[in-house]
Amino acid sequence: MTDQLRTLVDKGFTDKRLVIVTNREPYIHKKVASNIKIETPAGGVTAALDDVLKTTSGVWIAWGSGSADREVVDENNTIEVPPDEPAYTLRRVWLSSTDIDNYYHGYSNRMLWPLCHITLERVFFRRRFWQSYKKVNQLFAEATIEILKKTPDSLLWIHDYHLCLVPSIVRDTLPESTIAHFWHIPWPDWSVFRVCPQARELVEGLLGSDLIGFQIPLFVKNFMDCVRELLDAEVDMLRQKITYRGHTTVLRAYPISIDFDKFNDQAIKKATSRVINNIKREYNLENRYIGIGVDRLEYTKALIKRLQAIELFFEKYKSYRGRFTFVQIVTATRLKEPYLSYKKAVEDMVERINRRFSRDNWQPILYIEKKLGFSELVAFYRMADVGVVSSIYDGMNLVAKEFISSQVDKKGVLILSEFAGAADELEGALLINPYDVEDFAEQILKALKMSDKEKSERMESLRQQVRHNDIYRWITDILGDIVDIAAFKNKKCTYLLDNLQKLKEQLSDRELFIFLDYDGTLTPIVETPDRAVLSDEMREVLKELKEVLPLAIISGRSLDDLMNRVSVDGIYYAGNHGAEIFDGEKVIVSRETEREKILMAEILNRLKESLQGIEGLIIEDKGITTSVHFRKVRVKDLNRLFKEFKLITREYLDTFRITIGKKVFEIRPISAWNKGDAVEWILGSYGNNRIPLYIGDDVTDEDAFKVVQGRGISIGVGLNCKVDYYLKDHKEVMAFLREVINWQRR
Ligand code: GDG
């Protein structure tokens, strides 16, 4: 476990318990003759979650699938695990064989799995599948509720497509729970997901969560699109938040990974070199190029396409016959249709290709059907010259990362399907489209012919990426967000219009100074900044207000623009997020340095150049600061915009502050005054120790909220718990300001 994760676990879980819910259990008790044997599923994800639970002493809820599982649990269906050194509780859920058929093999594996992997021909649906899926999700939810009732402030982390409905069932019974769900497989786009007869129920089920994690940003976007099509929900594409029936769910991409050190450390062991020599001798692989594929026997991993490419490769490049062997390791899981037919098709094809090209004591494909032990697996990965991952669609694909982590000699090349989530992150692999078998065969040739230098450079870059983003980083990121969400939920958000009397009492006998943000506070948020016009009604309110209290309008807009738009005399104005102030007589400017000016011009040029052609984008040059508005940019261009914006601006982070507001990026010199500084300056210049009351809606208003905290009143527009009170929109701001005028007059 990394230090970072350890700190999180130590800090975040002192008074809370982590409750994990998965279909498969981390420890399985099996009857072997008259004994009971304990098996642990080899998967790295399970092992890492097990590690975390061992340190947080939480609870793991899962289907009790072992033949001796019932014998060992107590009357609450729980058992302390690991068996030899108990550290946390495993709560087992019992399923009948009919449910296993209908919920697991049926709805999960024949409806959701092919649907999400866009193999629609394979989608097979029976009503009984769905009935059973609902029943089993209910069972899991009941077990969870029972646990949560005992420790109400537990944090719940549910996994995968088997358990879509659990979040909302739990939420209905225990509305205050903190619930996260991680979706391990792809989320397809709407044109695919609409095929599912229960599309709406599934999405509603998931939206009981506070946080839903997906592997990559594309799946987040697909999910949001589906919600937009299916439900009358508020979908904030930019902040990746969905509000449905009064509950808000945050969506994020968290690319899953592996334990880099575990593979790397095993690979460099002397013992591994010995295992490699043995394998080479045993399978007659000495002095040959070696390719490797490690997969569950699974149609989404596209073994047939891979074999077609290998066949084509040997057909075209005869000189590699006898010199290159492709080792395909498979483990058969889910031993039901359509897997049985698929297994047969793969085996037939291997046999045919081997018959076609084998000669002397060489065969092109070495097909090994067995679940390898860890040391053997790592040895295969390390000795390979080419690792192949050819999925037609894949959430992430851990084999790709395991191969990389085991490549300590950096002599292997990774051929990776562009449709695996891993392709989104891993730079340095040779990307293939598995449907383009011709190119696939060419990439195998390219990998084999690649210079040692290029191989080593590519592999080094891949290894850096996996080393820095390992499974513990994944867990840390998700748990960190869950802990934050829980903390946020515990805070009370106070709605001002329900608490006017309280505020009035708080302010009685105190002299106020009113500070107001402009966009979103005095005007509604509109498509483009030029359309944010102050209504005559609001202007009249401001004019009345300034007669009874000192008033300042503080905005990210340039000072001139702001003053023209508000056009009320005798008040303070601050533009450019506080960097320019008009005190009623003169303008006071927080000067930028020559260097800042030059760098800002440079950023502007680079942004304009690289973001050319993005329709609807407005880059607003305001002198000291710059705003990049993207409210009108099409969703399909957002990815490019965010990527390029980040790439350019990250070089200037020591000089500029970059914040994201309502569909706008703000770039401002770190040294320039912010809205908080402006509040300080204005209060000081006005004198006589007034109490600031600040109303704003934007991220940049947070600087001012901080200054106001403890000495005045902060009011946010929109649901906001970081402030003393919140109001819903600019209309409520107007109503509140009228109240203030009345208080003062009385
Ligand atoms: C789902 C998503 C996502 C396979 N054969 C052997 C063996 N394996 C192990 C590999 C690897 C694991 O199985 C397969 O992981 P994948 O990520 O490739 O695929 P899925 O099982 O489909 O997993 C996937 C994952 O969830 C995690 O979120 O990446 O996209 O589909 O760890 O090593 N292990 C051993 N011997 C074998 O013969 N020891």
Side-chain angles (χ1 to χ4, degrees), residues 42-45 113 117 160 182-186 215 256-258 263 294-296 298 300-301 329-331 334 368 370-374 377 381 391 393-400 402 421 474:
V45 181
W113 179 270
H117 288 88
D160 231 356
F182 187 78
W183 190 260
H184 288 255
I185 63 177
Q215 302 274 21
I256 201 167
S257 194
I258 59 150
F263 280 84
V294 177
D295 306 83
R296 288 191 295 108
E298 167 56 63
T300 59
K301 309 290 177 188
I329 292 158
V330 294
T331 32
R334 307 180 185 177
I368 303 175
K370 94 173 188 207
K371 180 129 188 131
L372 297 180
F374 181 61
L377 179 72
Y381 283 141
S391 319
Y393 215 19
D394 215 331
M396 178 53 54
N397 196 290
L398 298 179
V399 170
E402 292 169 1
W474 177 77

Side-chain angles (χ1 to χ4, degrees), residues 283-519:
Y283 293 109
N284 187 24
L285 294 170
E286 278 159 326
N287 304 319
R288 297 194 208 281
Y289 291 115
I290 298 166
I292 182 96
V294 177
D295 306 83
R296 288 191 295 108
L297 237 174
E298 167 56 63
Y299 55 84
T300 59
K301 309 290 177 188
L303 297 173
I304 300 276
K305 300 250 174 303
R306 187 181 309 177
L307 292 171
Q308 284 169 350
I310 292 168
E311 180 171 23
L312 191 62
F313 172 81
F314 283 116
E315 193 177 294
K316 282 175 87 172
Y317 304 110
K318 297 190 178 61
S319 68
Y320 282 93
R321 297 183 194 170
R323 291 168 59 213
F324 172 54
T325 299
F326 189 78
V327 182
Q328 179 61 56
I329 292 158
V330 294
T331 32
T333 54
R334 307 180 185 177
L335 284 169
K336 292 249 173 185
E337 278 307 333
Y339 292 96
L340 296 174
S341 315
Y342 187 70
K343 182 170 192 283
K344 171 122 186 24
V346 169
E347 287 169 359
D348 287 351
M349 195 158 172
V350 169
E351 207 183 305
R352 190 179 56 69
I353 297 171
N354 276 346
R355 231 183 300 121
R356 182 171 172 198
F357 298 111
S358 290
R359 63 181 198 207
D360 306 325
N361 59 357
W362 171 83
Q363 60 180 40
I365 299 166
L366 176 62
Y367 184 78
I368 303 175
E369 193 201 323
K370 94 173 188 207
K371 180 129 188 131
L372 297 180
F374 181 61
S375 53
E376 250 188 317
L377 179 72
V378 173
F380 271 108
Y381 283 141
R382 178 178 164 185
M383 73 186 185
D385 300 284
V386 190
V388 176
V389 169
S390 57
S391 319
I392 42 161
Y393 215 19
D394 215 331
M396 178 53 54
N397 196 290
L398 298 179
V399 170
K401 296 187 175 181
E402 292 169 1
F403 172 72
I404 291 166
S405 314
S406 308
Q407 274 287 324
V408 286
D409 312 303
K410 297 180 221 164
K411 64 160 190 135
V413 178
L414 175 64
I415 294 184
L416 176 61
S417 164
E418 60 180 286
F419 306 128
D424 224 54
E425 286 186 281
L426 297 176
E427 267 174 52
L430 295 182
L431 292 189
I432 51 149
N433 170 348
Y435 294 94
D436 184 351
V437 174
E438 299 259 355
D439 180 63
F440 194 161
E442 294 308 319
Q443 296 303 322
I444 298 177
L445 180 72
K446 181 173 174 185
L448 291 174
K449 289 175 84 168
M450 192 180 282
S451 71
D452 290 347
K453 183 167 173 283
E454 186 176 347
K455 280 185 198 168
S456 162
E457 280 168 5
R458 281 174 180 266
M459 190 47 77
E460 180 51 36
S461 137
L462 289 166
R463 285 170 61 76
Q464 290 292 353
Q465 295 163 56
V466 182
R467 183 182 281 125
H468 289 133
N469 297 301
D470 68 356
I471 181 81
Y472 291 105
R473 167 78 185 271
W474 177 77
I475 295 181
T476 310
D477 287 350
I478 297 183
L479 286 186
D481 285 348
I482 303 178
V483 168
D484 283 354
I485 285 171
F488 187 69
K489 285 175 92 152
N490 284 339
K491 276 196 193 152
K492 284 267 165 285
C493 308
T494 316
Y495 181 44
L496 179 53
L497 295 191
D498 288 344
N499 290 278
L500 276 177
Q501 196 49 37
K502 184 178 149 203
L503 178 67
K504 198 177 165 188
E505 282 158 22
Q506 220 176 325
L507 295 177
S508 64
D509 306 334
R510 313 192 63 180
E511 291 189 318
L512 279 184
F513 196 119
I514 308 277
F515 293 89
L516 301 168
D517 166 49
Y518 181 79
D519 296 82

Side-chain angles (χ1 to χ4, degrees), residues 63 95-110 128-129 132 336:
W63 161 33
L95 305 184
S96 68
S97 58
T98 321
D99 281 333
I100 296 165
D101 274 347
N102 291 320
Y103 141 81
Y104 178 66
H105 293 294
Y107 201 78
S108 300
N109 289 343
R110 299 195 75 178
R128 62 172 191 279
F129 292 177
S132 172
K336 292 249 173 185

Side-chain angles (χ1 to χ4, degrees), residues 27 43 744:
Y27 297 91
Q744 294 298 322

